[in-house]
Amino acid sequence: MDVPAGVLGRLRGICLGLPEAYEEVAWVGVRWRVRTRTFAHVLTVEGGRPAAFARAAGTEGPCTILTFRSEGPELDVLRRSGPPFFGPPWGPDVVGMVLGPNIDWSEVAELITESFCARAPMTLARQVERPPG
């Protein structure tokens, strides 16, 4: 149930470019944190496992799933928009995304950056260049 190397490499490039972000092996998959707060987590669902992620995404797999944090109006839109997004039940600000073959990596980078800014201390979030609006 390893995350595909190409996906992991793309995510690693995005996440580790953020101030004080670091990577660690999670209970399943890989997660990126700032201080002690997770802002992105990637894993593979296969054969309905891990069960919580398979149920939340509505798939037995195989597929790769990214979870991140969101806030404000974007949170509600993402959680209700349908595939590739879904709203996991384990956190009110968590959004899941199935990373399919036609994924828009610019969108993924923007969502991860916003997640980082939502989880990071203000001093670090202010260091991140974000698009206007």
Side-chain angles (χ1 to χ4, degrees):
M1 295 196 317
D2 290 336
V3 175
V7 170
L8 192 56
R10 297 286 297 259
L11 292 171
R12 189 173 278 142
I14 296 164
C15 294
L16 295 180
L18 297 164
E20 294 187 28
Y22 62 96
E23 178 180 309
E24 65 183 24
V25 175
W27 64 277
V28 62
V30 176
R31 67 182 173 191
W32 290 272
R33 305 183 94 189
V34 57
R35 306 273 166 97
T36 60
R37 303 182 89 189
T38 300
F39 65 91
H41 181 194
V42 67
L43 59 106
T44 298
V45 168
E46 192 168 327
R49 300 229 182 265
F53 286 90
R55 278 191 307 272
T59 182
E60 293 290 308
C63 67
T64 303
I65 292 178
L66 171 69
T67 60
F68 55 92
R69 305 296 175 126
S70 186
E71 57 189 11
E74 183 178 54
L75 170 64
D76 201 39
V77 169
L78 291 171
R79 286 181 63 107
R80 296 179 193 271
S81 66
F85 299 102
F86 61 94
W90 51 83
D93 64 344
V94 179
V95 178
M97 180 180 193
V98 176
L99 300 178
N102 298 320
I103 196 71
D104 179 348
W105 285 102
S106 296
E107 179 181 33
V108 171
E110 182 179 324
L111 293 169
I112 288 173
T113 300
E114 291 299 323
S115 179
F116 173 88
C117 290
R119 306 292 284 164
M122 288 296 274
T123 55
L124 295 179
R126 280 191 217 111
Q127 295 175 32
V128 175
E129 189 173 323
R130 294 158 77 177

